[in-house]
Amino acid sequence: MAVLPILHYPDPRLRKPAAPVTQFGAALQRVVSDMFETMYKAPGIGLAAPQVNLAQRIVVIDISRECDEPRTFINPEILERQGKDVMEEGCLSVPDTYETVERASWIKVRAQDVDGQFFELACEGLLAVCVQHEIDHLDGKLFVDRLSTLKRSRIRRKFEKAQRLAL
Ligand code: GNR
Ligand code: NI
């Protein structure tokens, strides 16, 4: 078990689309368990593999208060979306930044579990938001891309400045 380092915006590695998982087995089990440990430690309610510099279509989520409802989505795909809703979002790769984002309020997702078994899940509320946020990461997209140009450029300047100061 290991806590993995999380990449921060504007790291270009967060922009690379992730490849489908084709091998199910012990190595994948280990990656998924390291991702849960990293997410719980952060703490966060979701984590996508590109955030820990693994360009593979792996997502872990736990939106429960007790942190006892781990959900794993390998190669997730959204089959249906309905409605619109706004929610304040944050991202472990965009620290200390919270903005309102509009997304589908209900989705049906198809994915594989860690053993490769396919399943479908209808999601609403925070789970629907989180699944859409994580699938965006797999496609190299961040929640800041869904904000107005003005808000996005303010955030970009803040992080570019932080990066300059860190050099
Ligand atoms: O921990 C997280 N909280 C959160 C809150 C609102 C909408 C989305 C999220 S996901 C985020 C963790 C993260 O960055 N996942 O990629
Ligand atoms: Ni995120």
Side-chain angles (χ1 to χ4, degrees), residues 22-166:
T22 54
Q23 301 266 61
F24 293 81
L28 180 65
Q29 299 257 7
R30 179 145 57 247
V31 166
V32 166
S33 101
D34 287 350
M35 285 177 63
F36 274 113
E37 195 178 347
T38 304
M39 178 189 80
Y40 287 128
K41 168 97 188 303
I45 59 170
L47 187 72
Q51 293 180 276
V52 290
N53 197 24
L54 293 164
Q56 294 195 64
R57 303 189 78 81
I58 306 168
V59 165
V60 299
I61 292 179
D62 190 338
I63 58 160
S64 73
R65 195 173 291 276
E66 309 293 333
C67 299
D68 58 358
E69 290 170 30
R71 299 172 190 270
T72 305
F73 301 81
I74 310 291
N75 302 326
E77 280 180 75
I78 295 175
L79 301 178
E80 277 180 63
R81 351 166 110 75
Q82 281 177 37
K84 287 281 165 212
D85 212 344
V86 292
M87 196 175 283
E88 175 123 309
E89 296 194 18
C91 181
L92 294 172
S93 296
V94 191
D96 304 318
T97 307
Y98 303 89
E99 295 286 350
T100 298
V101 181
E102 186 183 276
R103 298 191 187 269
S105 54
W106 181 96
I107 57 171
K108 187 157 95 183
V109 62
R110 187 173 81 123
Q112 284 162 278
D113 66 18
V114 76
D115 301 312
Q117 287 291 335
F118 282 92
F119 65 94
E120 286 184 13
L121 185 68
C123 311
E124 59 185 0
L126 185 58
L127 182 58
V129 170
C130 195
V131 168
Q132 291 173 85
H133 175 116
E134 304 311 338
I135 292 176
D136 271 358
H137 278 298
L138 302 182
D139 295 329
K141 220 166 154 47
L142 300 172
F143 83 99
V144 297
D145 303 337
R146 300 191 176 277
L147 305 176
S148 69
T149 313
L150 178 65
K151 280 188 179 168
R152 186 167 55 252
S153 48
R154 277 198 194 122
I155 294 167
R156 191 184 337 106
R157 278 198 299 276
K158 180 173 89 175
F159 280 89
E160 283 168 354
K161 187 176 174 192
Q163 209 178 34
R164 281 198 303 278
L165 293 171

